[in-house]
Amino acid sequence: SFNDISTNTPTSWSWSFTGGTPSTSTAQNATITYNTVGTYQVSLTATNAGGSDTETKAAYITVEEEGAIDYCASKGNNVTYEWLAGVQIGDFTNNTAANGGYADFTGQVVNLAAGASVDVTLTPGFQSSTYAEYYKIWIDYNNDGDFEDAGEEVFANNASGAVSGTLTVASNASGTTRMRVTMKYNAAPTPCESFSYGEVEDYTVTFGSAPAPVANFSANATTITAGASVSFTDQSTNNPTAWAWSFDGATPSTSTTQNPTVTYNTAGTYQVSLTVSNGTGNDTETKYSYITVEAGDVTYCASKGNNSSYEWIEKIVIDGFTNTSGDNGGYQDYTNQMVNLAAGASANFTLTPGFSGSTYQEYWKIWIDYNKDGDFTDAGELVASGNGTGAISGSVNVSASASGTTRMRVTMKYNAAPTSCETFSYGEVEDYTVTFGSKDVTGIYDAVDANVSIYPQPADELIHIEMTDASNVADIKLYNMNGQLVNAAKVDNNGNGFDYDVSARSAGVYMMQIVTNDSIISKRVVIK
């Protein structure tokens, strides 16, 4: 029973009783009960209209055992041939010679964390020959003087040599109690028996808070083709009880299961993050550029003008890109030319027709395959249209979510609006590769491009890349002429450049995108 003796007439009271039941009170004079042996502090905050004051008395209440707990006896009657020579549990180790069949080591304290998984190694000693030994460990969690309650047998194993494994400490374990370790020849022991050969040792065990988890994970694959799934395995330590995953670019994008499986549908390089937690704390592991998703084969529909002798696409200008072509027979594949556009920006264009004689009414359209699915029919993929007997101009509002590299189609059709996949009488179609960067870097491609050199060209095994800025860390992405990502890597430029392995790539023309210091550099690469 606690009596308030505060001065200056307090009007309210807030008590805190560590180890007591109840653990708090707002009564002026409180009575509580202590059920667990230990030494505890008491705190009182008294308040009136003038303010508050707190008095804390550390180590104020000492709770002793009502009486000594009488544990059952257990021992091996003969240790001439075998005995318990070593006990290692977590950070605790005790190595001994034979102790007559029983040893009271309760003067030695084994510190365990509630809820933790703890490594165990038990080692026998033999006079000469080795024998099959059975081991068990019990912990009297509820301090009732026996080892018979559910969950109190925490370890069992057998072998003719040392045994190893783990024991999992009860998550609600607290205070101090007894632990019994038994080694018995040729049969599983019980906690309260005398047996022919072997040994028993008793220890004191005390419980602290479980350690906070440390996050880690792995994936069954880190390079996949678009549309494939990846299974992730939690490898966190210290027994987390909750998991929060975040998957950039995946479906689903989050998960709370311990070992999730997700699907990646879009080519690119993505990070994965895992936050684990338990009652003590949490930890996060993020793996950057961890999953590389390569595009599968994409086949685009054909489109062309059957006759381009009267009219054709003479020139296109989009943002800083220009291509003057002339009559190309109704269709031309220019996917070896890269059009750089800024995601979220407005790109001005001018489309110019060519005529062999008279001028005609021409209809134009531009499509961009933003989602890289091999067609131009999705919402927002028709980005510009117009008509006239001469050059037309306008602007393309590039999707803010555009990323990577894909295909752009420009169509000019005589006297009627074209569709993206048709063969028509008069006019022409041209296809290009388009790559998307940040809005902030629009217009700096040519200036930065001079700071990068790539050789040899053509290459068969290695391409050497040099950047004049020795501080650069670069993301390198290699695209084929269908706009498909075929490889991605992160490199650290050390001032001497670096080698990029292309030995696994098929012969052909590729586009290499180098992202560094908020700049995007696109280079044409030929592999033989």
Side-chain angles (χ1 to χ4, degrees), residues 80-99:
T80 304
Y81 305 105
E82 63 259 269
W83 59 90
L84 190 54
V87 173
Q88 182 175 348
I89 302 176
D91 295 332
F92 174 85
T93 299
N94 185 36
N95 296 317
T96 64
N99 288 292

mmCIF file of all heavy atoms in Angstrom, residues 80-99:
data_model
loop_
_atom_site.group_PDB
_atom_site.id
_atom_site.type_symbol
_atom_site.label_atom_id
_atom_site.label_comp_id
_atom_site.label_asym_id
_atom_site.label_seq_id
_atom_site.Cartn_x
_atom_site.Cartn_y
_atom_site.Cartn_z
ATOM 1 N N THR A 80 31.591 -42.955 -15.909
ATOM 2 C CA THR A 80 32.912 -43.496 -16.221
ATOM 3 C C THR A 80 33.169 -43.500 -17.722
ATOM 4 O O THR A 80 34.296 -43.280 -18.181
ATOM 5 C CB THR A 80 33.042 -44.935 -15.678
ATOM 6 O OG1 THR A 80 32.770 -44.921 -14.285
ATOM 7 C CG2 THR A 80 34.430 -45.503 -15.946
ATOM 8 N N TYR A 81 32.124 -43.773 -18.504
ATOM 9 C CA TYR A 81 32.299 -43.956 -19.945
ATOM 10 C C TYR A 81 31.902 -42.707 -20.765
ATOM 11 O O TYR A 81 32.474 -42.458 -21.814
ATOM 12 C CB TYR A 81 31.472 -45.164 -20.410
ATOM 13 C CG TYR A 81 31.804 -46.415 -19.649
ATOM 14 C CD1 TYR A 81 30.918 -46.902 -18.680
ATOM 15 C CD2 TYR A 81 32.984 -47.099 -19.884
ATOM 16 C CE1 TYR A 81 31.209 -48.065 -17.976
ATOM 17 C CE2 TYR A 81 33.280 -48.271 -19.177
ATOM 18 C CZ TYR A 81 32.395 -48.733 -18.227
ATOM 19 O OH TYR A 81 32.693 -49.873 -17.516
ATOM 20 N N GLU A 82 30.887 -41.968 -20.287
ATOM 21 C CA GLU A 82 30.429 -40.779 -21.018
ATOM 22 C C GLU A 82 29.896 -39.746 -20.034
ATOM 23 O O GLU A 82 29.391 -40.083 -18.964
ATOM 24 C CB GLU A 82 29.359 -41.119 -22.055
ATOM 25 C CG GLU A 82 28.067 -41.671 -21.489
ATOM 26 C CD GLU A 82 27.981 -43.176 -21.612
ATOM 27 O OE1 GLU A 82 27.461 -43.663 -22.637
ATOM 28 O OE2 GLU A 82 28.426 -43.872 -20.661
ATOM 29 N N TRP A 83 30.037 -38.499 -20.415
ATOM 30 C CA TRP A 83 29.559 -37.388 -19.590
ATOM 31 C C TRP A 83 29.283 -36.168 -20.486
ATOM 32 O O TRP A 83 29.663 -36.162 -21.655
ATOM 33 C CB TRP A 83 30.574 -37.036 -18.498
ATOM 34 C CG TRP A 83 31.934 -36.639 -19.039
ATOM 35 C CD1 TRP A 83 32.360 -35.403 -19.377
ATOM 36 C CD2 TRP A 83 33.015 -37.527 -19.327
ATOM 37 N NE1 TRP A 83 33.643 -35.425 -19.840
ATOM 38 C CE2 TRP A 83 34.086 -36.734 -19.819
ATOM 39 C CE3 TRP A 83 33.211 -38.916 -19.195
ATOM 40 C CZ2 TRP A 83 35.302 -37.272 -20.191
ATOM 41 C CZ3 TRP A 83 34.434 -39.443 -19.554
ATOM 42 C CH2 TRP A 83 35.470 -38.611 -20.067
ATOM 43 N N LEU A 84 28.642 -35.181 -19.920
ATOM 44 C CA LEU A 84 28.327 -33.957 -20.652
ATOM 45 C C LEU A 84 29.516 -33.007 -20.537
ATOM 46 O O LEU A 84 29.772 -32.430 -19.479
ATOM 47 C CB LEU A 84 27.057 -33.308 -20.081
ATOM 48 C CG LEU A 84 26.424 -32.155 -20.842
ATOM 49 C CD1 LEU A 84 26.148 -32.531 -22.299
ATOM 50 C CD2 LEU A 84 25.133 -31.723 -20.159
ATOM 51 N N ALA A 85 30.274 -32.880 -21.638
ATOM 52 C CA ALA A 85 31.542 -32.132 -21.588
ATOM 53 C C ALA A 85 31.402 -30.672 -21.994
ATOM 54 O O ALA A 85 32.228 -29.845 -21.595
ATOM 55 C CB ALA A 85 32.569 -32.814 -22.504
ATOM 56 N N GLY A 86 30.402 -30.325 -22.797
ATOM 57 C CA GLY A 86 30.290 -28.939 -23.259
ATOM 58 C C GLY A 86 28.855 -28.536 -23.522
ATOM 59 O O GLY A 86 28.110 -29.281 -24.156
ATOM 60 N N VAL A 87 28.478 -27.361 -23.011
ATOM 61 C CA VAL A 87 27.157 -26.790 -23.261
ATOM 62 C C VAL A 87 27.359 -25.397 -23.847
ATOM 63 O O VAL A 87 27.967 -24.530 -23.208
ATOM 64 C CB VAL A 87 26.321 -26.707 -21.968
ATOM 65 C CG1 VAL A 87 25.021 -25.949 -22.227
ATOM 66 C CG2 VAL A 87 26.035 -28.096 -21.421
ATOM 67 N N GLN A 88 26.887 -25.205 -25.071
ATOM 68 C CA GLN A 88 26.946 -23.890 -25.702
ATOM 69 C C GLN A 88 25.542 -23.518 -26.155
ATOM 70 O O GLN A 88 24.948 -24.184 -26.999
ATOM 71 C CB GLN A 88 27.901 -23.888 -26.893
ATOM 72 C CG GLN A 88 28.037 -22.523 -27.551
ATOM 73 C CD GLN A 88 29.079 -22.509 -28.661
ATOM 74 O OE1 GLN A 88 29.861 -23.447 -28.799
ATOM 75 N NE2 GLN A 88 29.078 -21.450 -29.445
ATOM 76 N N ILE A 89 25.007 -22.448 -25.576
ATOM 77 C CA ILE A 89 23.667 -21.965 -25.899
ATOM 78 C C ILE A 89 23.762 -20.474 -26.157
ATOM 79 O O ILE A 89 24.026 -19.691 -25.232
ATOM 80 C CB ILE A 89 22.676 -22.265 -24.766
ATOM 81 C CG1 ILE A 89 22.622 -23.772 -24.496
ATOM 82 C CG2 ILE A 89 21.296 -21.726 -25.098
ATOM 83 C CD1 ILE A 89 21.738 -24.147 -23.329
ATOM 84 N N GLY A 90 23.612 -20.086 -27.416
ATOM 85 C CA GLY A 90 23.793 -18.686 -27.764
ATOM 86 C C GLY A 90 25.211 -18.250 -27.460
ATOM 87 O O GLY A 90 26.182 -18.888 -27.874
ATOM 88 N N ASP A 91 25.370 -17.180 -26.677
ATOM 89 C CA ASP A 91 26.700 -16.678 -26.317
ATOM 90 C C ASP A 91 27.276 -17.349 -25.074
ATOM 91 O O ASP A 91 28.411 -17.056 -24.686
ATOM 92 C CB ASP A 91 26.634 -15.162 -26.063
ATOM 93 C CG ASP A 91 26.278 -14.389 -27.323
ATOM 94 O OD1 ASP A 91 26.604 -14.882 -28.419
ATOM 95 O OD2 ASP A 91 25.665 -13.308 -27.205
ATOM 96 N N PHE A 92 26.504 -18.229 -24.458
ATOM 97 C CA PHE A 92 26.941 -18.878 -23.210
ATOM 98 C C PHE A 92 27.658 -20.188 -23.511
ATOM 99 O O PHE A 92 27.188 -20.990 -24.319
ATOM 100 C CB PHE A 92 25.746 -19.149 -22.303
ATOM 101 C CG PHE A 92 26.086 -19.942 -21.071
ATOM 102 C CD1 PHE A 92 26.555 -19.303 -19.936
ATOM 103 C CD2 PHE A 92 25.951 -21.320 -21.047
ATOM 104 C CE1 PHE A 92 26.879 -20.031 -18.789
ATOM 105 C CE2 PHE A 92 26.266 -22.053 -19.915
ATOM 106 C CZ PHE A 92 26.739 -21.405 -18.789
ATOM 107 N N THR A 93 28.781 -20.415 -22.835
ATOM 108 C CA THR A 93 29.531 -21.669 -22.993
ATOM 109 C C THR A 93 30.005 -22.152 -21.627
ATOM 110 O O THR A 93 30.500 -21.367 -20.803
ATOM 111 C CB THR A 93 30.754 -21.472 -23.904
ATOM 112 O OG1 THR A 93 30.307 -21.043 -25.201
ATOM 113 C CG2 THR A 93 31.539 -22.769 -24.065
ATOM 114 N N ASN A 94 29.871 -23.458 -21.382
ATOM 115 C CA ASN A 94 30.417 -24.082 -20.177
ATOM 116 C C ASN A 94 30.997 -25.435 -20.547
ATOM 117 O O ASN A 94 30.265 -26.332 -20.974
ATOM 118 C CB ASN A 94 29.334 -24.239 -19.109
ATOM 119 C CG ASN A 94 29.887 -24.766 -17.796
ATOM 120 O OD1 ASN A 94 31.013 -24.425 -17.412
ATOM 121 N ND2 ASN A 94 29.115 -25.586 -17.090
ATOM 122 N N ASN A 95 32.315 -25.556 -20.435
ATOM 123 C CA ASN A 95 33.005 -26.808 -20.730
ATOM 124 C C ASN A 95 33.536 -27.400 -19.427
ATOM 125 O O ASN A 95 34.205 -26.703 -18.643
ATOM 126 C CB ASN A 95 34.167 -26.577 -21.697
ATOM 127 C CG ASN A 95 33.681 -26.081 -23.050
ATOM 128 O OD1 ASN A 95 32.703 -26.588 -23.587
ATOM 129 N ND2 ASN A 95 34.346 -25.077 -23.592
ATOM 130 N N THR A 96 33.231 -28.684 -19.163
ATOM 131 C CA THR A 96 33.616 -29.309 -17.891
ATOM 132 C C THR A 96 34.064 -30.739 -18.105
ATOM 133 O O THR A 96 33.801 -31.351 -19.140
ATOM 134 C CB THR A 96 32.432 -29.311 -16.908
ATOM 135 O OG1 THR A 96 31.387 -30.126 -17.446
ATOM 136 C CG2 THR A 96 31.918 -27.909 -16.652
ATOM 137 N N ALA A 97 34.710 -31.273 -17.078
ATOM 138 C CA ALA A 97 34.987 -32.708 -17.011
ATOM 139 C C ALA A 97 33.768 -33.387 -16.402
ATOM 140 O O ALA A 97 32.751 -32.747 -16.105
ATOM 141 C CB ALA A 97 36.233 -32.953 -16.180
ATOM 142 N N ALA A 98 33.823 -34.687 -16.195
ATOM 143 C CA ALA A 98 32.718 -35.419 -15.579
ATOM 144 C C ALA A 98 32.446 -34.861 -14.185
ATOM 145 O O ALA A 98 33.368 -34.543 -13.425
ATOM 146 C CB ALA A 98 33.039 -36.900 -15.509
ATOM 147 N N ASN A 99 31.157 -34.730 -13.848
ATOM 148 C CA ASN A 99 30.756 -34.130 -12.577
ATOM 149 C C ASN A 99 29.933 -35.088 -11.719
ATOM 150 O O ASN A 99 29.054 -34.671 -10.961
ATOM 151 C CB ASN A 99 29.950 -32.858 -12.824
ATOM 152 C CG ASN A 99 30.817 -31.720 -13.333
ATOM 153 O OD1 ASN A 99 31.656 -31.215 -12.603
ATOM 154 N ND2 ASN A 99 30.613 -31.343 -14.595
#
